[in-house]
Amino acid sequence: QVQLVESGGGLVQAGGSLRLSCAASGRIFSFNVLRWYRQAPGKQRELVAGITSGGITNYADSVKGRFTISRDNTKNTMYLQMNSLKPEDTAVYYCNIATMGPRLENYWGQGTQVTVSS
């Protein structure tokens, strides 16, 4: 069983920055993908960024050049550095881990609110 806890959300003005953290506990197998999702009011949850155990990253077009996903295995933590924030980035942000042991396992954090004011 894996537990994920997000932190770092808050209120920021447009153009500002935030760094989200996701701390993991429990066993995570070596083959895994870490992802950040977000969900704005009235909209579907969308993938923001992902990073594989091999360090390959991908980003939604809307955040390319502004957001950076990273991981620190020594701290069992993943991060999302968000720069040049826009009001449309306002959402609840969720971390997710998909890890392959005997079979695929998928875990979610509780979410952290990011609000960007104009």
Side-chain angles (χ1 to χ4, degrees), residues 19-91:
R19 189 178 76 159
L20 305 183
S21 299
C22 176
S25 62
R27 184 176 182 182
I28 301 174
F29 295 99
S30 59
F31 297 103
N32 59 78
V33 178
L34 310 181
R35 297 184 177 99
W36 285 97
Y37 290 80
R38 68 185 181 187
Q39 187 166 25
K43 301 181 68 175
Q44 293 186 350
R45 188 170 299 184
E46 64 174 342
L47 176 64
V48 176
I51 183 168
T52 71
S53 52
I56 300 172
T57 60
N58 66 282
Y59 299 91
D61 288 340
S62 59
V63 307
K64 286 181 179 177
R66 300 188 298 121
F67 290 10
T68 303
I69 188 171
S70 62
R71 59 193 295 169
D72 186 342
N73 291 333
T74 65
K75 298 180 179 180
N76 295 315
T77 303
M78 59 184 289
Y79 305 94
L80 185 68
Q81 178 66 47
M82 305 185 295
N83 299 325
S84 301
L85 283 162
K86 304 174 181 179
E88 49 263 47
D89 295 319
T90 295

